[in-house]
Each structure stands twice: as C-alpha cells, then as structure tokens.
Amino acid sequence: MMKIKGFKIILMLLVLMIMMPLQGLAAQTVNKDMKLSSGVQYKQYTNTGAKVNSINHLSINLNDAYTKVKMGLPKDFNSKATTTSIATGDSVEGNRVVGAVNAAFFDMSEGYPLFLISQQNEILNGGVLLDSTTEYFNQPIAFGVTADGNAEIDLYDFDIKMNYDNLSYDLSGMNRERRADEAIIFTPQNVKTTTDSNQYGIEVVFESDTPINSTYYGQTITGKVKSIHVASTAKVAIPKNGFVLSFHGSEWRAIGDKMKIGEEVSVEFDIDSKWKDSEFMLASGPMLVKDGKKHVTMNLSSARATQVTSRSAIAVSKDKKTVHLVTVDGANKKGMNMSQFADYLVSLGVDRALNLDGGGSTTMGIRNYGSNAVVLANTPSAGSQRQVSAILEAISTAPTSNPSTINLTRSNVGTMLVGATSSYKINYILDEFYNPITVSSSKIANTSDNNLVSFNGTSFTALKEGSDRVRINYDTAYQSFPLTIVSAPTNLTINASGKTANINSKLTFTANATDVDKKSLIYSPEQLKWSVEGGIGTITSAGVFTAGNKAGTGKVVAQLGTKTVSVGIEVKTNVTSKFTDILNNNPYITEINYLTSNGVITGYKDGTFKPNNDITRKNAAVIISRIMKDIDLNKVTDPNFKDVPKTHPYYKEIAAVANLGIVNGKENGYFDPNGKLTRAQMAKILVNAYNLSGTTDKKFTDVPSKHWAANDINILTATGVTTGFNDGTFKPETPISRMHFSVFLYRIDQ
C-alpha cells in the first residue's frame, strides 16, 4: 500500500543471473505441492541461503475448461477486507475460489484503491498516475483478462474527453484528488459525495436528465451547468444525476470561467482496443518482466525498490494462457528487493510480470482439501492478514461431481491380534475436480477381501489369523489398506517394578508385545490376561500385583493370544530396618539389610544409610573388593593412578579391582576416585566383576545400539539384575544411588 503523495532466493550477482537464469530454481526445496483444482497448482518453496522465509506460488492454467482468473472485491467497494474473507465470500457452487492473492495498492487512511480498476467495461476506480520513477506506479500498466479470455499485462490508454464549445479536451482523471494544473471529473461513483477539492481552483456542477448509475468505457455523459464555485472553501456536492468538473491552472481556469449556467458539456470515457470489453483490468506497478527478460519500470536505486521485504506479483506466459500468482514472505527483515524479485520471476520462465502491493499486505490464500473455505497459505510480515481493497482469485467453475478420492487415517497401524479392534477416520472425500464432498455415514460401505474382519461403522475387529485387505467404498470412490492378523505376538516380555516384594506390598507389571518385525502389536487392553502362580498374591487386569500375607515364591504370568510368558517373584517376610532413614516398608529393605549384615556396604555413624546418596568410583571399588571373597588386598600391583597414591585410604581396594580389570582408570593416568558412578559404568563394572553373560530382545529407549555400555546393559537385563524404569528407559548417565547399587549386588549374589 502507499499514499497518493508521495518473492526464498539466493542473492547473486546480476551477471550470474544472466548466465544461469534457472539458478534460483536449482536452490529451491519444495515444502508443499498440491493440486487445488483441475487447472490450479499450488507450491511452497524454501530457497537455500537467501533472505527469504518462503515463496508461495499458484500456477493457473487457463487452457483448462474449468479454470479462470477473476478479481475479488469487498462487499462495499470503498471498504477493506482480508484476502481470505473476500475469497471465501466469493466461493460458491460453480465458482469455487481455490487460491487468491492481494492485489491493488490502496490508501491506508481511507481504504480505497489508488489505481485504475474496471470490470466488464465498468470503471470502478479511476485512479492516479504518479510522476516520479521512484514510485511503484509511474506508467499506466495493468493486469487483466481481455475479451478473448487471455491473460494480459501491458500498457493501457485511459481516455476522458470533455466536449465543450465545439472543442475537445483531455481531462486528467476521475474521482480522485485534484492536483496542480489538472482537470478532474467527479461522478456519483466517487468514494465520497463531495469533491473535497481545495479552494485554489474552480468547480462546475452539471446536472443531467437521468441519474448516472455507473461509468464505463464507451460511455458519454451529458449535463448542463447548474452552478459554478470559484475559490470556494465549501464542500461541493456531486449530484446523483450529474457530475462535477474541477479545474486548476491558468489554461483550465480560463475554460471554466467561460462556462455559463445552462450550457451543455459532454464527457466521454474510453480505453484502447486491447482493453475494451475486458473481463476485468487492475492497474499496478512496476512492471518487472517483459518478453521473458528483466524489465523494471521504476528506479531500482530508490528506497522502495531497494527495500528487502515481502513481495507480491502476477505473471503470465507467452501464450497468455498460464497465470502465476507469487508471494515472497519477508518477516524478520527477510524477503527480496525489487531487483531480486524480478530476477526470481525471470527464473520461473514467465513472459511478463507485474508487481502488486507488497510489504504487510502480502497475502496468499488457498483452498485446503476437504473444505471450500480459503485459508492463509503464507506468513504475513505482521503475523496476521492486513485488510485490502482488491484481490486476484484462481477460480474453478467445475460443478461438484461424483466422489473420486478418499483420504483417511487409522487409529493405529500395524499387525493386529485376533480379537483386537481398530478404527479409521475419513478426513475428506473429493470429486475429480478436487471439490469437497460432504460425508454421510450412511454411504460408507466396508468390505474385506478374505472376510477376516468384521465392521461396526468405522471400527473393525480382527476375527481370524491371516492376511486381508480392508476396503472402504463411498459411492464411486474407494480406499483400501492391507492387514496382517496373528493369533499371538512374536515376542512378549514382562517389565516389572521389582522381583521381590514384602508381605502385602505392591509391584507393577507391564507387557511389551511385538510382531515379527519387532513393531508394536495392535491389541485391546482387555486381551492381555494377568495371573499369579504359587499363591503368593493377586494381580489386577491393569497389572498391579499385591503380595499376600505369607512369604514364598511364585510367578506372575501374562497371556496374550496363544502366547504365555512369566517372571519369578519372591514374597519376603517383613524385615525390620537397621537404619533410621530406611522405613520398614521400603521395597529394598531386604537387599540393604543383607549387604550390611555381610559387611559389603555399611551405614553411617549417625544410624542412617542415606539410600539416595550417589556412589563414587572409590565406593564402588571398596564394595566390589568386599563382596568378592577371593581378592587379596595384600597382594596388589600399583596401577600408578596419578590421583591414588599409596597413602590413599582406599589405595589397596582401588588397586585390587584395577588389577582385575573390573574398574578401569580414565584418561591421562587418572582414576577419579571421587567421581560419581553412573548407571552405565555400574553395568560395565558388574559384568566385568562377575563375568556375566546373556542376551535379550528388550531395549531401552535411551540406550542406542552404539552406546559404549549397550552390551553390558543388555547382559544385566538378560540376567534379571536390572529391569530399567517404568517409562522404558535405563538412564545410563544418571549416577547410581547407594540403594540401587545394593539391589543390583544382592540380585547377583543370590
């Protein structure tokens, strides 16, 4: 937008653009590519390395019988509205707006368009032509659809002739502010009911025999002088059945002074033959491309041209049958300057291109699949749409026809267990022209090729083992997907919060079921059956185990389909804690008491155990040396750790475990005795100390296969020393606490 007074691309040298005109396209990444109708394609690009957020591009094929380009206006021509609201309001059966872009420059304060706009020869806005090449619109150039249905960008010659006293005079313009040395005609179609001209001229009011309800090319209006206002500060009203001529400058003043009350004057409106009878035309500027080459009709050194900002343009092909609507987003000081914009449009291979209103007005809307509403496609620089005075629309005139395409999503995808239920959702149905079809549930027909599933609306239940294909039919449209059904998971494992429980305490169990590809199996929660063997307690359908009131051993069993797995559980007699900070119902009291009773780990002098304190590397060395009875602390070899001299209180213990390769040093000859022992390091130490082995399919989400301790963690899991956390993680880098280290040692020692 602008006042009367006064698109993503790589930045490159002009020489390179001339030598390699398609370089801009070569650096583009396509983010979106959608067919909006039979003749309209939408794409959104990102350009590598350029100061551009994104580029949005509508390609409109006028050779398609159902495709047109039209102009869209607010309901009240002299008002403003957002691009998407205008487009959505214009979208009706047989005239679906599938894409739109903002178009006309407009006066920010008043809201009316600044330049010539006409439709079916009717002149909706006379507009102004600016004098300076630093302005966008300094040559009379317009885009429109001519009488032959072709898209056109070219100069125009808008003529307004006044006939008076047997002479003919070219007027300067219509329905706009009169400037110096101009003659302007005001008709009842002016945005205001008065001329609002300054007092430095003369205004002649004419009255016609009939109301002037419109002005159009080829029209002649005639009126007789009703009143003459010379140097008047009063507002001059425009009669509904007449017009006003406003003159300024000595030559025009002389003509006005000659006019007498009752004299007749006629005014003719016309335009050159190229634009006569056009479907519409909309003036803008500057021109950016002509004959396939960069051709910018404004001073490229001016402030407006050098500004890096959001841009909008319309372009046409050489045969005038393809129209391109292009926007460049420019939020956060990004975008293109006018020269870069012209270069980019040349790279698209267009024949001609015309700049449209840019900056904060730059807006593109599209019709998404499944809806007739036009929604925002780009990101306006201000974060939201600006209201504008005119837009250009990509139109599909195709009538709504038979369903052609079904788009759906499934609640879950994968192998199903016999008896499991899943569902699908129809997102939208389109006809062959991409028009949305209103979905009626009564028209949905479900079938399967091998009758291995049953249906209830959009839900389906697996009945038998095997392979099938589900088909969804809706009149003439259908969609399908394959389905594999099994009677049992390939793998079924149990995860437990613990393998020991005190009398009347609780443990939580979950199951992990996967198919032959190790992907999660689809089953209904009620299909997973939990049970307890050995009379050691009970378990709910959700996997919560409650220990009985007697000590003993048994199993928790999980059954899914025809597959059954179990895990051993021990219920222990309630143990009295030896420490003030270990409650009697602590799930690990047995383990802690066992290790402290055997002198493997000790409490503190204040009677506490401090279960949540972290184990250090020296603590680990001491504890391992105590639990491994065959270690002789009097026969150690100095490992020469720089930070563990022979005077260190735990020198012998650290040396002993280092000699056996159980706990290794760190880089540069250090042991780091006070460093915290992580859960991953703990796994490594225990596997080395006890020469553990084994393997399991269970994986932890935070232990990738390339993790340095992945094999050690897998061995601890396979041997039942660790189960990980309930969320499926192991937390390898988390320091190991005294309590958890005690549990791991107890499980190994039993």
Side-chain angles (χ1 to χ4, degrees):
M1 69 286 147
M2 60 184 290
K3 292 189 179 289
I4 295 177
K5 199 170 181 178
F7 106 0
K8 198 166 198 198
I9 182 172
I10 297 177
L11 301 178
M12 54 180 62
L13 297 174
L14 180 60
V15 173
L16 289 177
M17 286 299 298
I18 294 172
M19 294 175 63
M20 296 181 292
L22 296 181
Q23 185 66 31
L25 286 177
Q28 288 188 156
T29 299
V30 179
N31 300 325
K32 296 180 182 179
D33 191 347
M34 298 171 61
K35 191 86 169 178
L36 302 183
S37 68
S38 58
V40 181
Q41 191 81 24
Y42 165 69
K43 291 185 179 182
Q44 184 184 82
Y45 311 106
T46 298
N47 277 60
T48 305
K51 290 185 176 181
V52 179
N53 290 321
S54 64
I55 297 172
N56 292 273
H57 182 182
L58 286 169
S59 179
I60 308 165
N61 178 17
L62 297 182
N63 284 313
D64 181 81
Y66 295 108
T67 302
K68 293 183 176 296
V69 175
K70 294 186 179 181
M71 179 172 60
L73 303 168
K75 291 182 179 179
D76 180 357
F77 177 71
N78 297 320
S79 66
K80 297 179 295 181
T82 63
T83 297
T84 58
S85 64
I86 296 173
T88 299
D90 289 345
S91 189
V92 295
E93 178 67 24
N95 189 86
R96 296 298 184 193
V97 182
V98 300
V101 68
N102 69 293
F105 287 87
F106 60 94
D107 184 275
M108 284 287 287
S109 58
E110 300 291 344
Y112 55 80
L114 291 178
F115 311 132
L116 178 68
I117 297 178
S118 66
Q119 194 166 32
Q120 302 295 342
N121 280 339
E122 183 179 3
I123 306 165
L124 303 178
N125 191 71
V128 64
L129 185 64
L130 303 173
D131 299 326
S132 172
T133 59
T134 64
E135 302 286 355
Y136 295 119
F137 189 70
N138 58 77
Q139 292 186 28
I141 305 171
F143 166 78
V145 178
T146 56
D148 57 6
N150 287 333
E152 184 63 270
I153 295 175
D154 207 352
L155 294 164
Y156 63 85
D157 184 10
F158 177 34
D159 289 329
I160 310 173
K161 293 186 181 296
M162 178 185 74
N163 302 305
Y164 169 65
D165 195 23
N166 296 319
L167 293 174
S168 180
Y169 304 89
D170 289 328
L171 299 183
S172 309
M174 68 178 290
N175 294 336
R176 65 168 174 81
E177 179 185 3
R178 185 202 68 216
R179 298 179 297 179
D181 299 315
E182 285 191 333
I184 302 295
I185 181 172
F186 291 91
T187 71
Q189 286 69 52
N190 187 45
V191 295
K192 297 181 179 180
T193 58
T194 56
T195 63
D196 288 1
S197 300
N198 59 43
Q199 69 270 30
Y200 306 111
I202 179 171
E203 296 195 319
V204 184
V205 180
F206 294 85
E207 195 172 67
S208 302
D209 294 333
T210 58
I212 301 175
N213 296 321
S214 66
T215 50
Y216 51 88
Y217 305 136
Q219 179 186 29
T220 300
I221 58 176
T222 302
K224 294 181 179 179
V225 178
K226 181 180 180 182
S227 61
I228 301 174
H229 305 264
V230 180
S232 174
T233 58
K235 291 185 177 182
V236 177
I238 305 168
K240 292 184 178 181
N241 62 331
F243 54 91
V244 177
L245 291 175
S246 182
F247 303 114
H248 181 271
S250 56
E251 294 182 9
W252 287 113
R253 178 66 180 268
I255 296 171
D257 286 341
K258 287 175 58 179
M259 293 181 175
K260 301 291 188 270
I261 301 297
E263 283 188 302
E264 186 173 271
V265 171
S266 67
V267 180
E268 301 174 4
F269 303 92
D270 214 344
I271 200 163
D272 52 299
S273 60
K274 173 174 287 187
W275 294 106
K276 194 70 170 289
D277 299 320
S278 60
E279 295 180 16
F280 73 89
M281 61 181 295
L282 181 148
S284 192
M287 183 179 279
L288 300 173
V289 180
K290 184 178 181 180
D291 299 329
K293 298 178 181 179
K294 184 175 179 178
H295 179 84
V296 183
T297 58
M298 76 176 295
N299 185 343
L300 286 176
S301 299
S302 64
R304 287 191 172 96
T306 58
Q307 183 182 11
V308 175
T309 186
S310 305
R311 300 284 180 185
S312 303
I314 189 161
V316 299
S317 59
K318 189 172 184 179
D319 65 358
K320 306 182 189 302
K321 289 299 184 181
T322 303
V323 177
H324 303 271
L325 300 178
V326 183
T327 64
V328 174
D329 286 345
N332 302 319
K333 297 181 180 181
K334 295 183 179 181
M336 292 185 185
N337 61 35
M338 198 67 77
S339 179
Q340 293 165 347
F341 196 28
D343 288 334
Y344 179 75
L345 293 167
V346 169
S347 76
L348 294 179
V350 303
D351 184 63
R352 295 193 175 194
L354 182 66
N355 183 64
L356 302 172
D357 191 8
S361 297
T362 297
T363 309
M364 180 176 286
I366 62 170
R367 175 181 76 169
N368 276 329
Y369 294 150
S371 173
N372 281 315
V374 178
V375 297
L376 194 61
N378 77 313
T379 303
S381 58
S384 60
Q385 293 186 68
R386 175 181 287 167
Q387 293 186 327
V388 297
S389 63
I391 67 172
L392 292 168
E393 301 172 335
I395 303 292
S396 172
T397 63
T400 302
S401 60
N402 294 326
S404 176
T405 301
I406 300 176
N407 179 274
L408 58 82
T409 53
R410 295 161 59 184
S411 58
N412 39 37
V413 178
T415 303
M416 291 184 70
L417 183 68
V418 172
T421 296
S422 187
S423 64
Y424 67 85
K425 176 186 175 183
I426 294 180
N427 300 316
Y428 56 82
I429 299 178
L430 306 177
D431 69 6
E432 62 179 310
F433 303 111
Y434 302 87
N435 292 315
I437 303 293
T438 301
V439 180
S440 171
S441 59
S442 63
K443 294 185 178 181
I444 300 174
N446 301 304
T447 60
S448 73
D449 290 357
N450 298 320
N451 298 317
L452 300 184
V453 296
S454 63
F455 297 94
N456 182 13
T458 57
S459 296
F460 52 95
T461 300
L463 302 177
K464 299 178 182 179
E465 187 174 15
S467 297
D468 207 343
R469 177 169 286 274
V470 173
R471 300 183 184 275
I472 295 92
N473 296 273
Y474 193 94
D475 285 350
T476 53
Y478 84 93
Q479 181 60 277
S480 70
F481 53 85
L483 201 60
T484 299
I485 304 171
V486 296
S487 59
T490 302
N491 298 290
L492 179 63
T493 57
I494 297 177
N495 303 318
S497 60
K499 292 187 178 181
T500 61
N502 291 327
I503 290 173
N504 298 323
S505 65
K506 297 182 182 295
L507 295 175
T508 302
F509 294 84
T510 58
N512 182 42
T514 58
D515 63 12
V516 67
D517 296 320
K518 297 185 179 181
K519 295 181 179 179
S520 294
L521 184 70
I522 300 172
Y523 63 92
S524 302
E526 63 273 11
Q527 291 184 275
L528 179 60
K529 307 297 183 181
W530 293 102
S531 61
V532 178
E533 295 180 355
I536 58 173
T538 60
I539 191 166
T540 69
S541 60
V544 178
F545 168 81
T546 302
N549 56 11
K550 293 181 181 180
T553 58
K555 294 180 180 179
V556 168
V557 181
Q559 180 179 351
L560 190 58
T562 60
K563 196 174 191 68
T564 301
V565 294
S566 64
V567 60
I569 299 296
E570 180 182 4
V571 176
K572 302 177 180 180
T573 303
N574 293 339
V575 181
T576 301
S577 174
K578 296 181 179 181
F579 304 100
T580 59
D581 57 351
I582 300 292
L583 300 179
N584 290 337
N585 62 353
N586 187 295
Y588 305 125
I589 188 172
T590 298
E591 290 87 344
I592 293 171
N593 280 356
Y594 173 82
L595 292 178
T596 56
S597 296
N598 285 278
V600 175
I601 190 168
T602 61
Y604 292 85
K605 292 181 180 180
D606 62 358
T608 63
F609 183 75
K610 296 181 174 46
N612 295 316
N613 278 13
D614 297 330
I615 290 284
T616 63
R617 289 170 55 82
K618 65 183 180 185
N619 295 151
V622 171
I623 294 171
I624 292 296
S625 69
R626 289 174 181 172
I627 202 170
M628 297 187 70
K629 308 299 184 183
D630 55 345
I631 290 181
D632 188 348
L633 296 180
N634 296 314
K635 295 180 180 180
V636 296
T637 301
D638 189 356
N640 295 315
F641 293 128
K642 296 178 181 179
D643 52 355
V644 186
K646 292 182 179 180
T647 56
H648 191 283
Y650 299 128
Y651 164 77
K652 290 183 178 181
E653 290 86 347
I654 293 172
V657 295
N659 292 164
L660 294 174
I662 296 173
V663 182
N664 299 317
K666 291 192 172 182
E667 294 178 354
N668 301 318
Y670 289 91
F671 181 76
D672 188 20
N674 296 317
K676 293 181 179 181
L677 187 72
T678 67
R679 289 171 58 84
Q681 292 169 343
M682 176 273 301
K684 185 76 172 177
I685 290 171
L686 294 181
V687 169
N688 289 343
Y690 293 96
N691 195 27
L692 301 177
S693 63
T695 185
T696 177
D697 290 334
K698 180 178 178 179
K699 305 295 181 185
F700 296 108
T701 58
D702 58 349
V703 183
S705 59
K706 294 183 179 180
H707 191 283
W708 66 268
N711 184 58
D712 302 298
I713 295 170
N714 184 267
I715 291 173
L716 285 193
T717 306
T719 55
V721 176
T722 184
T723 58
F725 293 88
N726 289 336
D727 62 358
T729 64
F730 182 77
K731 298 181 173 54
E733 311 309 326
T734 300
I736 186 77
S737 68
R738 285 167 54 83
M739 178 171 63
H740 284 155
F741 196 62
S742 299
V743 172
F744 292 135
L745 287 174
Y746 175 84
R747 290 175 180 171
I748 292 175
D749 202 45
Q750 293 301 300

